[in-house]
C-alpha cells in the first residue's frame, strides 16, 4: 500500500548520508588531532562497533518493524499500560535544536565553496581573520548562505522519501565518495601521507586522557545519528524483506571508513605543510584554506572539491534531522507534507537566526547565557545531554520493554543466536551504563581528567 519507501540501496545511501556529515569530515579529524591520534582512533572504533552499532541496530529494528513515525512506532511496540514511552517524541526537540545550528555551519561551507573559487586566504593568520570576520562581523553573508542552506534542506524534505530524500542521496552520496576517493589518492602522493598514517594509527598516549574515551563515545553517537529517532524514522520507510543487520553494518562501516579517509586526507595536507595536527575546530575553516592556497592551482581545485564534499555530507545529514518531525506531523497529525515541512522549517530557521547572531560581536552579549553563547549551548545541550538521553531510552526500550520474540524473529535470521545474545548484552547493560557515564562527564557532574 505504501509506495513511498526506500529501495534497499536507497536506504543504505540515505542512512549513510545521515551518518556521514560534519561529524566525519570536520569534527573527527580535529578531535583525533587534539586527543593524540592512534589510541583515540582505536577507542573510537571499539565504541562504534560495540555501542554505536548496537543502538543503531536497535533503532532500525523499531523503525522497520512498524513502518510508523517514531512516536507511533514506540507506542505500537509498548505493551499495555506502558504508553508513556510515546514521550520519546521529545527527540523532535533535539532535532529542531541540532538543525538550527547545523544549518549555520552548512551556510559557512557554502560560503567557503565560493571563497575557494574566488579568494583563498594567503596564510594562516589571514585565514583566521577571514573566518572570524565571517563569524563575528558579517551577518548578511551568514544569513544569505544560511537561508540558501535551509531552502535546499526544506525543499528536499517537502518532496518526500522517494522523490526528495532518496533522490538527493542517490546523487550526492556517490559524488561525495568519488571526490573523497580522488582526494585520498592525491594525498598518497604528498610528503605528509606517511606521517598522517602514522599519526592516525600509531598509538600515542601523550595526549590521551580518560576524558578522550568520553569524547570518543559522544562522537560515536553524533556521527551515527543515533539517539534522536533519525535512523529509526528512516528505517520506517524500509521494506520488511531487507536484511537489516547487513544494512546497518554497511552504513556504520561506510561512516567509519569515511571518517578515517577524511582524517588521512586532512592530516596528509597538514603535515605536508609542516603544521601541527591539534588545531581544534579551526582546522577545516582556518588551517586548511591557508594550506590550499600555498599549494597553488592544485590547491584551488582541492579546496573546491573539499568544501563541495563537506557540503554534500552536511546537507544529506541535515535533511535527516528534519524528517522525524515532519513524518510525525504527516502520519500522526494528518498534515500535508509541504505544510508540515515549511512550518517546522520556519520555526527552526528563526531559532537558528538567534544562534547565528549569538556568534556576532554585535549581539553576542545579549545572546550569551552563563559561559556559552546560544550557538554553543545548542551544540552542547544536544550532543552532551539530549542525544545520550535519547540513546539510553532507545536502548532500555528495546532491551527491556520490547517483545523479545519479535526481536528474535527480526534479528536472529540475520545475525545468528550468538551475536543476538551479545547484542542484547550491549543494549541492556553496556550501552546504557557507558552513555550514563558519558552524560555525567559532559554535564560536569563528574569530571574525568
Ligand atoms: N551524523 C551527522 C554527522 O556526523 C550529524 C547528525 C546528528 C545527523 C544527528 C542526524 C542526527 O555530522
Amino acid at each position: 500500500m505504501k509506495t513511498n519507501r526506500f529501495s534497499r540501496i536507497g536506504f543504505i545511501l540515505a542512512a549513510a548520508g545521515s551518518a556521514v556529515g560534519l561529524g566525519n569530515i570536520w569534527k573527527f579529524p580535529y578531535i583525533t588531532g587534539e586527543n593524540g591520534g592512534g589510541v583515540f582512533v582505536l577507542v573510537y572504533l571499539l565504541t562504534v562497533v560495540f555501542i554505536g552499532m548496537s543502538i543503531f541496530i536497535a533503532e532500525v529494528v523499531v523503525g522497520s518493524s512498524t513502518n510508523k513515525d517514531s512516536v507511533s512506532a514506540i507506542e505500537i511496540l509498548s505493551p499495555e499500560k506502558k504508553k508513556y514511552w510515546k514521550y520519546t517524541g521529545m527527540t523532535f526537540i533535539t532535532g529542531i535544536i541540532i538543525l538550527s545550528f547545523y544549518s549555520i555551519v552548512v551556510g559557512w561551507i557554502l560560503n567557503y565553496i565560493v571563497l575557494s573559487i574566488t579568494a583563498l586566504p594567503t596564510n594562516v593568520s589571514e585565514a583566521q581573520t577571514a573566518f572570524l570576520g565571517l563569524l563575528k562581523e558579517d551577518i548578511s553573508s551568514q544569513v544569505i548562505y544560511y537561508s540558501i542552506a535551509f531552502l535546499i534542506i526544506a525543499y528536499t524534505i517537502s518532496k518526500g522519501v522517494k522523490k526528495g530524500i532518496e533522490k538527493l542521496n542517490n546523487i550526492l552520496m556517490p559524488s561525495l565518495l568519488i571526490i573523497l576517493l580522488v582526494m585520498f589518492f592525491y594525498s598518497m602522493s604528498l610528503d605528509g601521507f606517511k606521517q598522517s598514517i602514522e599519526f592516525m594509527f600509531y598509538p600515542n598516549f601523550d595526549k590521551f586522557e580518560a576524558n578522550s574515551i568520553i569524547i570518543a563515545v559522544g562522537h560515536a553517537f553524533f556521527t551515527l545519528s543515533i539517539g534522536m529517532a533519525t535512523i529509526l524514522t528512516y528505517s520506517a520507510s524500509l521494506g520488511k524483506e531487507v536484511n537489516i543487520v547487513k544494512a546497518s553494518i554497511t552504513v556504520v562501516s561506510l561512516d567509519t571508513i569515511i571518517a578515517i579517509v577524511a582524517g588521512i586526507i586532512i592530516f596528509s595536507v597538514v603535515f605536508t605543510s609542516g603544521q601541527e595536527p591539534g588545531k581544534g575546530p579551526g582546522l577545516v575553516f582556518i588551517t586548511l584554506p591557508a594550506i590550499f592556497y600555498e599549494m597553488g592551482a592544485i590547491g584551488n581545485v582541492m579546496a573546491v572539491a573539499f568544501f563541495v564534499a563537506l557540503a554534500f555530507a552536511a546537507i544529506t545529514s541535515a535533511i535527516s534531522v528534519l524528517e522525524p518531525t515532519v513524518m510525525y506531523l504527516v502520519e500522526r497529525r494528518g498534515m500535508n507534507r509541504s505544510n508540515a515541512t515549511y512550518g517546522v522549517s520556519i520555526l527552526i530557521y528563526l531559532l537558528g537566526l538567534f544562534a547565528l547572531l549569538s556568534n556576532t560581536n554585535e549581539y553576542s552579549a545579549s545572546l550569551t547565557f552563563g559561559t556559552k553563547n546560544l550557538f554553543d549551548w545548542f551544540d552542547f545541550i544536544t550532543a552532551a545531554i539530549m542525544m545520550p538521553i535519547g540513546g539510553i531510552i532507545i536502548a532500555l526500550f528495546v532491551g527491556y520493554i520490547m517483545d523479545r520474540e519479535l526481536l528474535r524473529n527480526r534479528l536472529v535470521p540475520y545475525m545468528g543466536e550468538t551475536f543476538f545474545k551479545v547484542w542484547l548484552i550491549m543494549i541492556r547493560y553496556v550501552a546504557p551504563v557507558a552513555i550514563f557515564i558519558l552524560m555525567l562527564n559532559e554535564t560536569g557532574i563528574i569530571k574525568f581528567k
Side-chain angles (χ1 to χ4, degrees):
M1 190 189 102
K2 195 165 163 184
T3 49
N4 207 9
R5 286 214 180 137
F6 287 121
S7 66
R8 194 181 58 90
I9 180 76
F11 171 76
I12 289 175
L13 289 177
S18 170
V20 176
L22 295 173
N24 304 59
I25 306 181
W26 171 57
K27 208 165 168 200
F28 176 73
Y30 88 71
I31 54 178
T32 300
E34 286 177 339
N35 289 282
V39 191
F40 180 81
V41 174
L42 186 69
V43 174
Y44 164 76
L45 289 179
L46 290 174
T47 319
V48 163
V49 171
F50 289 106
I51 299 178
M53 178 110 79
S54 306
I55 297 193
F56 193 97
I57 293 176
E59 286 204 22
V60 175
V61 170
V62 172
S64 67
S65 305
T66 53
N67 296 118
K68 290 275 189 252
D69 64 273
S70 57
V71 172
S72 310
I74 295 276
E75 217 176 13
I76 289 171
L77 296 173
S78 306
E80 283 310 310
K81 300 211 186 73
K82 290 264 168 66
K83 297 288 186 230
Y84 52 81
W85 282 98
K86 72 177 175 200
Y87 293 109
T88 44
M90 66 140 212
T91 49
F92 298 150
I93 300 171
T94 317
I96 287 171
I97 301 177
I98 290 186
L99 192 55
S100 73
F101 75 85
Y102 206 89
S103 315
I104 298 172
V105 185
V106 180
W108 298 345
I109 297 167
L110 296 180
N111 192 336
Y112 267 74
I113 296 178
V114 177
L115 269 185
S116 308
I117 301 169
T118 54
L120 279 175
T122 57
N123 55 49
V124 173
S125 85
E126 203 178 286
Q128 180 144 8
T129 315
F131 182 61
L132 294 181
L134 172 70
L135 188 71
K136 295 187 178 295
E137 311 277 352
D138 195 351
I139 298 179
S140 54
S141 296
Q142 278 200 86
V143 171
I144 290 171
Y145 286 107
Y146 169 67
S147 309
I148 297 173
F150 240 101
L151 282 174
I152 300 172
I153 296 162
Y155 177 77
T156 309
I157 288 298
S158 75
K159 291 285 160 202
V161 169
K162 266 283 200 263
K163 294 205 192 105
I165 303 173
E166 179 161 335
K167 203 164 156 193
L168 186 84
N169 276 291
N170 281 352
I171 301 168
L172 296 197
M173 285 310 284
S175 316
L176 167 67
L177 291 177
I178 292 169
I179 296 175
L180 285 179
L181 215 63
V182 172
M183 288 186 81
F184 180 72
F185 283 121
Y186 176 73
S187 73
M188 287 172 87
S189 71
L190 295 174
D191 294 339
F193 181 75
K194 203 168 145 262
Q195 206 181 338
S196 166
I197 296 283
E198 270 171 21
F199 178 72
M200 295 273 294
F201 298 108
Y202 186 79
N204 168 6
F205 285 90
D206 284 357
K207 287 193 189 151
F208 190 83
E209 303 166 341
N211 197 31
S212 308
I213 300 178
I214 306 292
I215 295 175
V217 179
H219 188 63
F221 263 76
F222 188 79
T223 191
L224 293 179
S225 310
I226 48 182
M228 51 154 293
T230 300
I231 295 303
L232 194 162
T233 302
Y234 269 10
S235 314
S237 299
L238 188 61
K240 287 261 189 310
E241 65 294 344
V242 174
N243 180 334
I244 50 177
V245 175
K246 205 163 138 198
S248 301
I249 293 174
T250 309
V251 172
V252 174
S253 308
L254 263 175
D255 183 75
T256 311
I257 291 169
I258 291 181
I260 294 202
V261 165
I264 295 175
I265 296 171
I266 290 173
F267 290 126
S268 298
V269 172
V270 168
F271 286 129
T272 303
S273 84
Q275 302 273 345
E276 285 298 311
K279 288 284 180 183
L283 187 63
V284 156
F285 290 108
I286 297 170
T287 318
L288 274 187
I291 301 176
F292 286 143
Y293 175 83
E294 277 172 20
M295 295 166 79
I298 185 82
N300 269 81
V301 178
M302 285 273 274
V304 176
F306 178 79
F307 285 107
V308 167
L310 193 54
F312 285 3
I315 289 169
T316 50
S317 297
I319 59 170
S320 77
V321 185
L322 188 54
E323 178 64 8
T325 316
V326 170
M327 185 172 180
Y328 168 78
L329 291 174
V330 172
E331 301 247 312
R332 236 346 234 266
R333 303 277 159 198
M335 273 176 88
N336 150 309
R337 187 171 255 273
S338 240
N339 292 348
T341 308
Y342 288 106
V344 179
S345 298
I346 289 170
L347 181 87
I348 304 178
Y349 178 82
L350 293 176
L351 190 68
L353 277 184
F354 287 102
L356 186 156
L357 293 176
S358 79
N359 280 326
T360 62
N361 286 337
E362 203 171 338
Y363 296 98
S364 81
S366 40
L367 292 167
T368 296
F369 307 96
T371 50
K372 295 183 192 0
N373 66 21
L374 208 58
F375 183 96
D376 292 338
W377 271 121
F378 283 0
D379 183 7
F380 173 79
I381 290 175
T382 47
I385 303 173
M386 300 177 78
M387 287 178 81
I389 290 182
I392 294 191
I393 291 176
I394 200 77
L396 296 179
F397 179 79
V398 173
Y400 294 93
I401 306 292
M402 220 178 125
D403 181 45
R404 189 63 50 80
E405 272 319 294
L406 176 66
L407 279 181
R408 193 177 288 281
N409 291 342
R410 290 290 288 140
L411 291 173
V412 171
Y414 302 128
M415 58 161 65
E417 191 63 46
T418 314
F419 278 107
F420 179 70
K421 289 210 176 90
V422 175
W423 174 77
L424 262 187
I425 293 173
M426 289 297 152
I427 280 294
R428 286 167 66 97
Y429 309 107
V430 181
V433 172
I435 300 161
F436 190 63
I437 296 176
L438 158 80
M439 267 180 60
L440 289 185
N441 175 75
E442 294 263 358
T443 50
I445 296 174
I446 52 168
K447 252 305 169 236
F448 294 92
K449 261 286 162 256

